[in-house]
Amino acid sequence: PGRYTGGEDAIVRDVAWYVQLFRTYPHLVGIEVYNQIDRFPGDRATWDAILTALIAERPVWGLSNDDVHGMDSLLGFNGNVMLLPELSEAGLRRALEEGMFFFFHSSRPNDPAVPTIESIRVNEARGTIAIQARGHERIDWISEGRVVYAGDEIPLAEIADLGSYVRAMVYAPGGDAVVGTQPFRVVRLDGTGR
């Protein structure tokens, strides 16, 4: 999406255009949030704005890709870790449609320092989401484009400015590599905003 936000030859696409695109074509499941190392760093802000507008209707998954067009392309900086119920085309399709994957980015190709998410536990009764990860320095929780919490377990009811979703970014020491989760929709059940 960053290619379409400015520049002399660019076609300007605002968030409303993307929101309408996802509403019109429900088979579209996601949007790039990292492209060609990190060519368009504003793509995550665009994703957050799309999520803010659409999460009550449907999720939009974040994807990270190297954007390889030939043998001279940069490779191994970005990717997606698919959580496949089975190793098959149907399993891959299901993972993409249901957001059963993480995306990753590093400033170095094939970086062994990319953190690993080992588990995510959602406890609806306690109102928490906990991430168990290896090789990380910090976990930032983002809601509607803002970091609203830092830590391995987010206590959703205690976050005053929590929006309609939350997603996590798991950073390696030094911040050169990151793994991101898909968004979790936040539904308030007691009517008090908590």
Side-chain angles (χ1 to χ4, degrees), residues 54-109:
L54 285 177
I55 197 70
E57 301 170 40
R58 61 163 294 188
V60 175
W61 310 127
L63 296 147
S64 180
N65 303 299
D66 281 327
D67 198 12
V68 174
H69 291 264
M71 295 305 289
D72 60 342
S73 296
L74 298 172
L75 184 62
F77 295 89
N78 303 307
N80 303 285
V81 177
M82 310 309 290
L83 305 173
L84 299 176
E86 61 182 62
L87 185 55
S88 66
E89 183 179 331
L92 177 61
R93 182 182 182 108
R94 178 177 170 217
L96 280 169
E97 289 174 344
E98 296 181 13
M100 298 178 350
F101 60 97
F102 308 119
F103 58 87
F104 69 88
H105 159 73
S106 178
S107 60
R108 296 179 297 274

Side-chain angles (χ1 to χ4, degrees), residues 38-173:
D38 194 11
R39 186 173 175 194
F40 304 106
D43 286 352
R44 288 169 303 284
T46 300
W47 181 39
D48 281 317
I50 293 166
L51 286 172
T52 299
L54 285 177
I55 197 70
E57 301 170 40
R58 61 163 294 188
V60 175
W61 310 127
L63 296 147
S64 180
N65 303 299
D66 281 327
D67 198 12
V68 174
H69 291 264
M71 295 305 289
D72 60 342
S73 296
L74 298 172
L75 184 62
F77 295 89
N78 303 307
N80 303 285
V81 177
M82 310 309 290
L83 305 173
L84 299 176
E86 61 182 62
L87 185 55
S88 66
E89 183 179 331
L92 177 61
R93 182 182 182 108
R94 178 177 170 217
L96 280 169
E97 289 174 344
E98 296 181 13
M100 298 178 350
F101 60 97
F102 308 119
F103 58 87
F104 69 88
H105 159 73
S106 178
S107 60
R108 296 179 297 274
N110 305 310
D111 189 354
V114 172
T116 301
I117 295 176
E118 295 182 333
S119 70
I120 297 178
R121 290 195 168 65
V122 176
N123 186 322
E124 291 183 30
R126 289 182 45 225
T128 61
I129 303 173
I131 294 179
Q132 184 178 354
R134 281 187 294 120
H136 72 293
E137 177 177 77
R138 76 178 198 277
I139 299 175
D140 287 347
W141 296 87
I142 297 151
S143 183
E144 298 187 356
R146 301 173 320 275
V147 175
V148 296
Y149 191 79
D152 293 355
E153 181 175 279
I154 183 170
L156 299 169
E158 296 175 18
I159 309 298
D161 59 347
L162 187 65
S164 54
Y165 72 91
V166 66
R167 63 181 183 84
M169 298 292 280
V170 181
Y171 291 93

